[in-house]
């Protein structure tokens, strides 16, 4: 098979890595890819959001399966266009992708199907939004309706912060059109869990769990990022809790989407808050999490191409998904300054020394080779230093041993990824 992966991050590198291991894959292409992906796949210089060119390329190269990493092309309808031309895809169509494209739509859907989530209200009027906040008090959460690259959420701990979030979205327009409408919701407290289910339009199959760290700095402090590290499986997830998540959240969602005439194909990523009243859905994403995906791919034992094909063909009931017993940890190295302004084109050295550490795999995100053949950083999140081990502590130790080998003075990373899981393991000893 000829397989095309769309995207350029660490998530897509790990997907390419898993696909490249499959005997079914005879040619792997990535659009646009990065310097790490280029070691596994042929990279073509087409932006992930340039849908027409991706469709044309897929037709002319007779691609058998397109796997889409990021949400934006999905929300723009890449799957609909590819399918119109008879090209198999792994990912939801535009209607099903609305679950991530509009938080208001998602919340209305959750309410209609009685799926446990935070209480909320939708606003496109500034005064009404502020009156609601004043009435409810803080802490309170303000979200832009549309996609804002993970930055449209404010967890407001005081009134000024809450009212400023409304102004930022609706008057100052800092999220563009995404902030024309906002959602204000109840603050939930608890530990967060990323839960994944693979879907074929008819059924959903559990596809692993992970926990990530969104804050930029140690101690879960600092600004929110796309994710500074992750570990899998999530130690907080017990079999009893998984049953509740499947019965009360995933299954009603899949059936609800069928009922709405928008069956879901691809990977459904439930962002959950484990509250003292049980799991509550924070949000749905319609693609793999990044940095979570990297930890899932390292633990997956089954052939991913079989899984993607079964999902695309509506045949998930015919396969089983197997996992390694090992745990996996991913430590993200980012450019200094991220998630705000950061320097580009800084040189990274000694990556091979990290890769030589037992059980360690490095997935690239924003990397590129310069004209001198040196590896350079061109994005905010740049490298994913991953390792596996018998438990999270072992995996984390190996990952940090590898991080320490990398010579990149312009990068930074958190030193405490997986701290909760490590503390739990210490207590269990
Ligand atoms: P989202 O983009 O909706 O996943 O939100 C980003 C982050 O904001 C989440 O991972 C949570 O840490 C936090 N968050 C979102 N909604 C809530 C909520 N209702 N209560 C508490 N924290 C929240
Ligand atoms: N790590 C969270 C996300 O991918 O949205």
């Amino acid at each position: 098979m000829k397989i095309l992966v769309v995207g350029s991050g660490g998530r897509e590198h790990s997907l390419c890595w898993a696909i490249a291991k499959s005997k079914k894959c005879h040619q792997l292409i990535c659009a646009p890819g990065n310097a790490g992906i280029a070691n596994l796949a042929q990279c073509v210089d087409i932006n992930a959001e340039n849908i027409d060119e991706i469709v044309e390329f897929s037709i002319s190269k007779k691609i058998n399966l397109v796997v889409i990493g990021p949400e934006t092309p999905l929300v723009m309808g890449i799957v609909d266009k590819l399918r119109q031309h008879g090209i198999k895809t792994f990912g939801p169509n535009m209607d099903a992708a609305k679950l991530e494209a509009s938080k208001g739509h998602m919340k209305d859907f959750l309410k209609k199907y009685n799926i446990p989530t935070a209480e909320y209200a939708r606003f496109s009027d500034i005064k009404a939004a502020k009156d609601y906040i004043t009435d409810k008090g803080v802490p309170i959460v303000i979200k832009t309706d549309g996609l804002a690259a993970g930055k449209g959420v404010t967890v407001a701990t005081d009134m000024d912060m809450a009212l400023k979030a409304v102004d930022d979205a609706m008057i100052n327009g800092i999220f563009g059109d995404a902030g024309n409408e906002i959602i204000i919701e109840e603050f939930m407290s608890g530990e967060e869990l990323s839960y994944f289910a693979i879907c074929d339009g008819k059924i959903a199959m559990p596809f692993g769990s992970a926990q990530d760290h969104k804050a930029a700095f140690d101690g879960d402090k600092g600004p929110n990022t796309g994710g500074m590290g992750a570990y899998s499986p999530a130690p907080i997830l017990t079999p009893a809790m998984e049953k509740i998540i499947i019965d009360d959240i995933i299954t009603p969602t899949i059936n609800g989407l069928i009922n709405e005439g928008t069956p879901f194909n691809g990977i459904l990523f439930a962002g959950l808050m484990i509250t003292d009243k049980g799991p509550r859905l924070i949000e749905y994403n319609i693609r793999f999490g990044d940095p979570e995906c990297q930890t899932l791919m390292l633990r997956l034992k089954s052939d991913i191409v079989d899984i993607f094909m079964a999902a695309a063909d509506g045949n998930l009931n015919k396969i089983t998904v197997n996992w390694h017993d090992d745990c996996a940890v991913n430590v993200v190295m980012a450019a200094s300054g991220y998630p705000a302004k950061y320097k580009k084109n800084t040189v990274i050295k000694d990556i091979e020394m990290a890769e030589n550490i037992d059980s360690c795999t490095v997935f690239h995100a924003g990397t590129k080779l310069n004209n001198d053949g040196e590896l350079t950083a061109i994005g905010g999140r740049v490298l994913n230093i991953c390792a596996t081990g018998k438990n999270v502590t072992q995996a984390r130790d190996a990952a940090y041993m590898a991080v320490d080998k990398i010579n990149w003075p312009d990068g930074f990373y958190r030193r405490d990824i997986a701290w909760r899981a490590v503390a739990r393991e210490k207590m269990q000893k």
Side-chain angles (χ1 to χ4, degrees):
M1 283 176 67
K2 271 191 192 176
I3 302 178
L4 172 67
V5 173
V6 175
S8 61
R11 167 180 50 206
E12 289 76 21
H13 190 179
S14 72
L15 290 171
C16 285
W17 177 86
I19 293 169
K21 286 195 298 184
S22 170
K23 289 201 178 65
K24 311 254 163 50
C25 177
H26 299 129
Q27 194 180 351
L28 180 59
I29 306 169
C30 188
N34 60 40
I37 294 176
N39 296 325
L40 296 170
Q42 177 199 343
C43 292
V44 290
D45 192 16
I46 308 176
N47 188 287
E49 289 163 28
N50 192 342
I51 292 181
D52 290 338
E53 231 184 289
I54 290 172
V55 174
E56 260 171 49
F57 179 85
S58 303
I59 298 168
S60 70
K61 296 289 175 202
K62 300 192 166 57
I63 300 290
N64 304 107
L65 175 71
V66 182
V67 177
I68 298 108
E71 62 276 15
T72 307
L74 293 167
V75 166
M76 289 167 72
I78 190 170
V79 166
D80 308 62
K81 288 210 172 146
L82 286 164
R83 286 193 191 142
Q84 273 164 20
H85 292 280
I87 297 164
K88 233 171 238 182
T89 56
F90 179 75
N93 65 15
M94 200 172 176
D95 284 340
K98 214 172 159 205
L99 214 50
E100 180 165 352
S102 161
K103 284 197 189 330
H105 166 80
M106 174 192 66
K107 295 292 285 191
D108 290 349
F109 172 86
L110 299 179
K111 191 171 174 186
K112 179 168 176 187
Y113 292 97
N114 210 11
I115 294 163
T117 186
E119 191 196 315
Y120 74 105
R122 299 174 71 165
F123 296 95
S124 39
D125 178 80
I126 299 170
K127 183 172 180 310
K130 289 188 173 175
D131 286 349
Y132 183 83
I133 292 175
T134 313
D135 181 49
K136 291 283 173 185
V138 287
I140 198 158
V141 183
I142 294 98
K143 301 183 175 185
T144 58
D145 178 69
L147 292 180
K151 295 181 187 112
V153 176
T154 305
V155 178
T157 43
D158 62 62
M159 208 37 105
D160 286 349
M161 198 176 166
L163 299 176
K164 183 174 177 298
V166 176
D167 286 344
D168 278 348
M170 301 180 97
I171 298 178
N172 305 329
I174 67 172
F175 305 108
D177 286 348
N180 290 348
E181 183 182 331
I182 58 171
I183 286 87
I184 303 181
E185 64 176 49
E186 170 200 1
F187 171 81
M188 302 186 283
S189 59
E191 206 171 316
E192 283 180 50
L193 163 66
S194 302
Y195 188 83
F196 298 88
I198 204 130
C199 308
D200 67 354
K202 295 182 274 193
I203 60 164
M205 204 181 233
F207 203 68
S209 65
Q211 288 181 267
D212 82 338
H213 295 265
K214 292 219 168 61
F217 309 130
D218 282 14
D220 290 321
K221 297 211 166 65
N224 246 354
T225 70
M228 291 299 292
Y231 48 103
S232 172
I236 192 176
L237 184 69
T238 59
M241 191 192 295
E242 183 159 22
K243 186 170 180 335
I244 295 173
I245 293 170
I246 293 170
D247 292 349
D248 295 355
I249 297 178
I250 303 294
T251 305
T253 297
I254 292 306
N255 293 339
L257 287 167
I258 292 171
N259 192 47
E260 296 293 317
T262 58
F264 192 91
N265 215 296
I267 187 86
L268 185 65
F269 162 7
L272 300 165
M273 185 74 84
I274 309 305
T275 71
D276 51 15
K277 293 194 212 89
R280 298 276 181 275
L281 192 82
I282 303 172
E283 65 159 0
Y284 271 128
N285 297 303
I286 49 145
R287 35 90 193 162
F288 279 107
D290 187 343
E292 291 98 323
C293 182
Q294 294 85 315
T295 60
L296 295 179
M297 290 307 117
L298 287 171
R299 296 184 46 245
L300 182 67
K301 203 183 215 173
S302 303
D303 184 324
I304 192 131
V305 175
D306 288 340
I307 298 169
F308 285 163
M309 287 301 281
D313 290 335
N315 285 334
L316 273 183
N317 61 342
K318 298 202 179 112
I319 64 158
T320 52
V321 176
N322 296 310
W323 300 91
H324 293 291
D325 290 332
D326 280 358
C327 298
V329 170
N330 177 3
V331 178
V332 171
M333 296 184 83
S336 295
Y338 172 81
K341 238 177 109 139
Y342 53 82
K343 249 209 285 192
K344 282 191 179 173
N345 304 314
T346 57
V347 175
I348 304 164
K349 291 198 174 118
D350 297 337
I351 222 166
E352 321 69 46
M353 289 175 70
E355 285 168 331
N356 282 340
I357 302 278
D358 239 9
S359 94
C360 172
T361 308
V362 177
F363 293 121
H364 294 222
T367 65
K368 193 178 176 181
L369 292 183
N370 66 14
N371 291 337
D372 299 326
E374 293 170 312
L375 186 68
T376 60
I378 56 159
R381 289 189 292 173
V382 174
L383 294 171
N384 299 264
I385 314 300
C386 303
T388 54
K390 278 194 186 58
N391 53 34
V392 174
T393 309
Q394 260 192 20
R396 181 207 58 168
D397 289 349
Y400 278 115
M401 214 188 285
V403 166
D404 288 339
K405 300 282 180 201
I406 289 178
N407 178 352
W408 182 31
D410 295 287
F412 81 102
Y413 56 91
R414 281 181 58 161
R415 198 76 219 179
D416 66 345
I417 295 304
W419 63 268
R420 264 204 194 90
V422 169
R424 238 192 207 109
E425 285 175 358
K426 213 178 228 169
M427 261 168 47
Q428 281 161 359
K429 265 191 192 155

